[in-house]
Amino acid sequence: RNGSNRAAAMSSTPRPSRPALPATVLTLFLLVSGALASLVIDVEGDNRQCFATYVEAPSIVSGNFDVILAESDRFRVQFYGPDGTKIYSSDDGDTEGSFSATGIGRFELCFENDHDQEENVGFSLRIFPIAEAAKEGEPPVDPTTKRLEETSRTLLGYLDALADHQSAARTRETRSRNLAENIFSRVVRWTLLEAAVLVAVAGGQVAYLHRFFDKRRNF
């Protein structure tokens, strides 16, 4: 199965067991011609959540992330290569970023939340196989064609990243709008409750004064 790819998403684990990797909960089979996996996840407070992809053929593994609603500046993203080296690490408080690497083996993307509040983040992983050298007896790959393929792959990566950012922006807008509508509906309900209480108090005062003056008139 030359050129096939496998990806596995990893579940979250508590911070005290940081050295251990999470257990596999999802497997995605990726196409040889290029694959894309996009997810929106919630990373609980004081937690580390990782996703891994295994590439069996020489490929370019790239991706990006967007924090939908940043609750703190203690949220980090790390991207590791097949030998466990850290290829990319975001700075504290970064709400977006991108990364890329070339190779074969297991790549891992981890989200680390040092805050006690939950963080919502969307991310994408892309895998583009690299054209292999011509085998014996086959015509060599034309350099111009190879350059065009690389340029097309780069442009496609930029377009995918732009689409991901737009999707994250729409998600952020939807969440903000839902939050604003929820707050507005609560304010309206509370205002109506206050109005009802005021009407009830005013009615009680009018009734009390009416009985008071009736008694004075009778005397």
Side-chain angles (χ1 to χ4, degrees):
R1 301 180 317 173
N2 188 16
S4 63
N5 303 289
R6 297 194 302 271
M10 314 301 290
S11 62
S12 61
T13 57
R15 287 297 307 283
S17 58
R18 179 180 295 183
L21 294 177
T24 303
V25 297
L26 176 64
T27 300
L28 301 173
F29 292 95
L30 307 178
L31 299 177
V32 176
S33 58
L36 169 67
S38 299
L39 290 175
V40 177
I41 61 173
D42 294 320
V43 183
E44 297 179 355
D46 296 322
N47 245 326
R48 177 185 174 91
Q49 189 165 350
C50 295
F51 291 77
T53 179
Y54 189 85
V55 182
E56 295 183 347
S59 303
I60 297 175
V61 182
S62 63
N64 60 282
F65 70 92
D66 283 274
V67 181
I68 305 302
L69 292 176
E71 299 292 344
S72 74
D73 58 355
R74 289 183 291 175
F75 185 82
R76 289 182 294 276
V77 179
Q78 293 99 20
F79 183 59
Y80 298 92
D83 55 356
T85 57
K86 186 183 295 183
I87 299 175
Y88 169 84
S89 180
S90 66
D91 295 328
D92 290 349
D94 285 353
T95 58
E96 62 181 41
S98 59
F99 45 86
S100 179
T102 303
I104 303 175
R106 177 188 175 91
F107 294 85
E108 190 171 43
L109 177 64
C110 293
F111 303 93
E112 188 172 348
N113 185 9
D114 288 336
H115 193 54
D116 57 356
Q117 295 186 10
E118 184 179 83
E119 292 281 3
N120 184 265
V121 59
F123 71 94
S124 295
L125 282 175
R126 305 177 192 86
I127 298 178
F128 296 101
I130 300 175
E132 298 181 357
K135 298 180 181 180
E136 185 177 355
E138 295 181 354
V141 179
D142 182 36
T144 302
T145 302
K146 187 176 181 180
R147 286 197 300 271
L148 288 175
E149 290 179 353
E150 293 175 353
T151 303
S152 300
R153 188 183 299 114
T154 301
L155 292 176
L156 181 60
Y158 288 149
L159 290 175
D160 288 338
L162 179 60
D164 292 334
H165 285 305
Q166 291 177 340
S167 177
R170 287 193 296 268
T171 303
R172 186 183 296 113
E173 179 184 1
T174 300
R175 290 198 168 217
S176 299
R177 183 176 63 251
N178 292 339
L179 179 61
E181 291 177 351
N182 186 31
I183 293 175
F184 178 74
S185 62
R186 291 186 178 183
V187 170
V188 170
R189 288 197 296 268
W190 180 251
T191 303
L192 293 177
L193 178 61
E194 285 184 331
V197 171
L198 289 176
V199 170
V201 171
Q205 290 177 342
V206 171
Y208 173 78
L209 292 175
H210 181 72
R211 288 196 300 270
F212 176 77
F213 286 113
D214 281 345
K215 290 182 180 178
R216 293 288 299 272
R217 190 180 301 111
N218 293 333
F219 285 118

